Amino acid sequence: GAVVSQHPSWVICKSGTSVKIECRSLDFQATTMFWYRQFPKQSLMLMATSNEGSKATYEQGVEKDKFLINHASLTLSTLTVTSAHPEDSSFYICSARSQYQETQYFGPGTRLLVL
Amino acid sequence: AQSVAQPEDQVNVAEGNPLTVKCTYSVSGNPYLFWYVQYPNRGLQFLLKYITGDNLVKGSYGFEAEFNKSQTSFHLKKPSALVSDSALYFCAVRVNSNTNAGKSTFGDGTTLTVKP
């Protein structure tokens, strides 16, 4: 149980385009979802926390207009990287937790490459 | 404020030998503690957690961890390492609260390399 999926797993796009990444909890209701960014051989950087039906809470230094997060249902959250630039290239990982779980479960990640 | 320290960037062990990956934490209140493993180009996989009860926690793939309140540590251990255990390991902490709210803080990760 406690499976989290992400789509797509890989995306390559041109600079200036927007990219949407989906995160789904497949067998539980995710009242809270987290979005992380990870650079090579580095730790996770929390970008934002979202609770279902509420606006996301962004970490300091993360542009909310650049990284749009929607958590419209208990099984789906999306991260949209708007007007992507090469410096946005990274590994993006979502994580989900229900109100009944202590543990947060992670998706497999999405590798974004902006040319 | 809460924090996690993984003092070793890299741990190298020989296959068949015991392994330890260290983690210390700081939190205001009682902690939830977690270990995750990450293989290349993958998300994090949950290994084990300490919530309450026995200080020795057993998890997936033969891993275990011991909660030590006095030393504020939660070291990950395995009696006999496998080459396939080679990966990046993360320790995480969150405050234990009735609302189960709040975000976890992750350590910087420790790369474990098990050599045949």
Side-chain angles (χ1 to χ4, degrees), chain A residues 75-102:
Chain A
T75 59
L76 173 65
S77 176
T78 60
L79 166 68
T80 302
V81 183
T82 62
S83 187
H85 288 91
E87 58 265 29
D88 298 324
S89 299
S90 192
F91 192 52
Y92 292 88
I93 310 175
C94 74
S95 181
R97 188 179 79 212
S98 84
Q99 64 183 114
Y100 306 111
Q101 298 167 328
E102 302 93 2

Side-chain angles (χ1 to χ4, degrees), chain B:
Chain B
Q2 57 193 32
S3 65
V4 174
Q6 292 182 241
E8 302 156 316
D9 291 336
Q10 179 94 29
V11 170
N12 297 313
V13 298
E15 188 174 32
N17 283 0
L19 70 86
T20 299
V21 183
K22 295 179 180 178
C23 172
T24 58
Y25 67 91
S26 174
V27 66
S28 300
N30 293 318
Y32 288 151
L33 291 157
F34 307 87
W35 275 103
Y36 292 86
V37 60
Q38 185 182 30
Y39 296 98
N41 296 309
R42 301 297 300 274
L44 277 66
Q45 295 179 30
F46 169 70
L47 276 180
L48 51 80
K49 64 184 177 186
Y50 171 81
I51 303 300
T52 187
D54 288 342
N55 291 340
L56 184 64
V57 179
K58 294 186 183 295
S60 305
Y61 311 120
F63 284 93
E64 58 188 30
E66 185 165 12
F67 170 60
N68 187 317
K69 189 172 184 177
S70 63
Q71 297 185 6
T72 61
S73 67
F74 190 57
H75 301 329
L76 181 70
K77 298 183 179 185
K78 187 172 182 179
S80 179
L82 300 172
V83 173
S84 58
D85 292 329
S86 299
L88 182 58
Y89 290 81
F90 289 99
C91 180
V93 68
R94 190 170 93 245
V95 171
N96 182 343
S97 72
N98 291 334
T99 63
N100 198 30
K103 56 192 178 185
S104 296
T105 298
F106 285 78
D108 290 338
T110 299
T111 298
L112 172 67
T113 301
V114 182
K115 297 185 177 179

Side-chain angles (χ1 to χ4, degrees), chain A residues 4 6 11 13 16 21 25-26 29 34 40 42 46 50 56-57 60-61 64-66 71 79 82 98 102 109-110 115:
Chain A
V4 177
Q6 263 181 262
V11 59
C13 68
I21 302 170
S25 57
L26 299 185
Q29 293 184 327
F34 306 88
Q42 292 191 20
L46 179 64
S50 72
T57 301
Q60 193 171 12
K64 62 180 181 181
D65 295 329
K66 171 77 172 175
H71 189 173
L79 166 68
T82 62
S98 84
E102 302 93 2
T110 297
L115 302 177

